[in-house]
Amino acid sequence: MENVSVITIFYLSGLNETINHRFLLFFLTLLCYCAILLVNIALIVTVVLDKSLHEPMYILLCTFCINGLYGTAGFYPKFLWDLLSPVHVVSYSGCLVQAQVMYSFACGDLSILAVMAYDRYVAICRPLEYHCVMSKQRVLKLACFSWLTPFCIMGTNVSLTARLKLCSTFIPRLFCVNWIIVTLACFPAEVVVNNIVAYITILIYVFHGVFIVWSYMYLIKTCVHSAENRAKFMQTCVPHLVSLTTFLLTILFDVMNMRIASTKLPQTLQNVLAIEFLVIPPLMNPLIYGFKLTKIRNIILGRVTCRKRVNF
């Protein structure tokens, strides 16, 4: 038990089976991260610079992209370093910080999607009240709330983990996961509170999902009998539904990966399942909204056309 109090680093063993392909993985990962940075920053800059986009839906979309940059920053720089390093380690405090960033990002995405669903509900089902209900001040408050609340909730989970005495320093993943750190606790009785808070956290975000479903039930009911509302739904709600579906599927795969690790899935498959929510949503969401939302697409294409004319 003497080693319990002197744990200062964790060993990440997720890369052990892919060591022979590390340089190819480094190149592909760097390319992916650069693409994520490019598409998210491009959309954020477009929304910030164009005053015609200073509307609730686009402000929330901008928040969505900022959250994506925040979450991926907690994974890619460390992962790229590990790909070039012979030893894959992370400090104890760094591991807790990474767990905090990664899962406050994931929960933040769901919170923002819930606010976006409410925005679409008000816009289509209560159009006359839209500008009153979704004023810029209220949207900014909702955006801050949708990020700060997950940050505080996950902070509570990580703080409870930090008090545990651990008997192992090996994490069989590419990055730190709060639930896996909890499983390293020496005394099972100490993790009871962690489990209770974890289930409360899950329940909170299940309610987020229920709220989104409730919003879309009313949206679909409203749009069925109106051609104008159907057009609005296809234009603004379909990207949201695609983002939501992508997010839920990637998170589901990650949860399944953690829960069925005892079945000894190949490490490579575990790695793919683990990082899907850090690759697909941050990369695809800006592209989906950029191509589907006419206003953003026209602005981006207009700027590209202008630059080509200037060059000629």
Side-chain angles (χ1 to χ4, degrees), residues 113-115 117-119 121 206-216:
L113 285 167
V115 176
Y118 179 69
D119 172 74
Y121 159 74
V206 166
F207 281 133
H208 279 61
V210 171
F211 175 77
I212 294 172
V213 171
W214 172 84
S215 299
Y216 271 92

Side-chain angles (χ1 to χ4, degrees), residues 163-183:
R163 81 198 204 317
L164 300 175
K165 295 178 180 179
L166 308 179
C167 284
S168 176
T169 59
F170 291 91
I171 296 177
R173 299 272 288 200
L174 298 175
F175 54 88
C176 293
V177 179
N178 187 62
W179 180 80
I180 291 181
I181 300 173
V182 171
T183 64

Side-chain angles (χ1 to χ4, degrees), residues 257-274:
N257 178 37
M258 284 193 291
R259 296 300 178 183
I260 65 176
S262 59
T263 62
K264 303 299 182 182
L265 290 174
Q267 186 64 55
T268 303
L269 179 58
Q270 289 189 45
N271 291 344
V272 171
L273 293 173

Side-chain angles (χ1 to χ4, degrees), residues 12-307:
L12 303 173
S13 61
L15 277 173
N16 289 351
E17 291 188 10
T18 55
I19 194 168
N20 295 328
H21 308 286
R22 64 169 63 190
F23 294 109
L24 176 61
L25 283 173
F26 178 86
F27 173 75
L28 293 175
T29 302
L30 181 61
L31 186 65
C32 179
Y33 189 40
C34 288
I36 288 171
L37 292 175
L38 177 64
V39 295
N40 281 277
I41 291 173
L43 201 147
I44 291 168
V45 170
T46 299
V47 172
V48 170
L49 295 182
D50 198 296
K51 291 185 179 180
S52 67
L53 297 178
H54 293 182
E55 299 175 6
M57 181 172 65
Y58 301 107
I59 293 172
L60 293 172
L61 177 56
C62 191
T63 306
F64 204 31
C65 292
I66 292 171
N67 192 56
L69 292 175
Y70 159 73
T72 53
F75 170 71
Y76 283 96
K78 176 67 172 68
F79 183 59
L80 288 167
W81 176 264
D82 284 343
L83 287 171
L84 298 180
S85 175
V87 181
H88 311 132
V89 298
V90 60
S91 68
Y92 178 83
S93 58
C95 191
L96 294 179
V97 169
Q98 188 178 53
Q100 165 73 14
V101 171
M102 306 280 273
Y103 286 95
S104 61
F105 147 70
C107 294
D109 257 9
L110 189 55
S111 293
I112 296 168
L113 285 167
V115 176
M116 292 172 81
Y118 179 69
D119 172 74
R120 291 300 83 205
Y121 159 74
V122 177
I124 294 176
C125 300
R126 299 161 58 188
L128 298 179
E129 304 174 36
Y130 181 71
H131 292 291
C132 177
V133 175
M134 298 299 290
S135 62
K136 287 183 181 179
Q137 293 79 7
R138 182 167 295 174
V139 169
L140 290 173
K141 288 179 182 178
L142 287 171
C144 291
F145 182 79
S146 65
W147 188 82
L148 289 174
T149 302
F151 188 86
C152 294
I153 290 173
M154 291 311 303
T156 303
N157 281 269
V158 172
S159 297
L160 290 171
T161 301
R163 81 198 204 317
L164 300 175
K165 295 178 180 179
L166 308 179
C167 284
S168 176
T169 59
F170 291 91
I171 296 177
R173 299 272 288 200
L174 298 175
F175 54 88
C176 293
V177 179
N178 187 62
W179 180 80
I180 291 181
I181 300 173
V182 171
T183 64
L184 303 178
C186 298
F187 309 108
E190 288 186 346
V191 305
V192 173
V193 177
N194 294 71
N195 290 332
I196 292 172
V197 174
Y199 283 123
I200 292 173
T201 301
I202 292 171
L203 190 61
I204 289 171
Y205 288 98
V206 166
F207 281 133
H208 279 61
V210 171
F211 175 77
I212 294 172
V213 171
W214 172 84
S215 299
Y216 271 92
M217 285 175 61
Y218 274 85
L219 279 168
I220 293 170
K221 183 179 178 181
T222 303
C223 294
V224 166
H225 305 293
S226 170
E228 181 182 353
N229 284 339
R230 285 199 298 271
K232 285 183 181 180
F233 184 90
M234 294 301 296
Q235 178 65 31
T236 62
C237 296
V238 169
H240 180 266
L241 282 174
V242 173
S243 296
L244 177 64
T245 303
T246 303
F247 171 79
L248 290 178
L249 287 176
T250 54
I251 291 296
L252 177 62
F253 286 141
D254 185 47
V255 171
M256 288 174 61
N257 178 37
M258 284 193 291
R259 296 300 178 183
I260 65 176
S262 59
T263 62
K264 303 299 182 182
L265 290 174
Q267 186 64 55
T268 303
L269 179 58
Q270 289 189 45
N271 291 344
V272 171
L273 293 173
I275 66 172
E276 276 188 319
F277 80 104
L278 293 159
V279 176
I280 299 175
L283 184 59
M284 294 303 297
N285 288 337
L287 295 175
I288 291 168
Y289 282 99
F291 283 112
K292 183 62 180 174
L293 295 180
T294 305
K295 209 168 184 180
I296 291 180
R297 185 175 67 246
N298 290 343
I299 290 171
I300 293 175
L301 292 177
R303 288 179 178 174
V304 171
T305 303
C306 289
R307 286 180 182 178

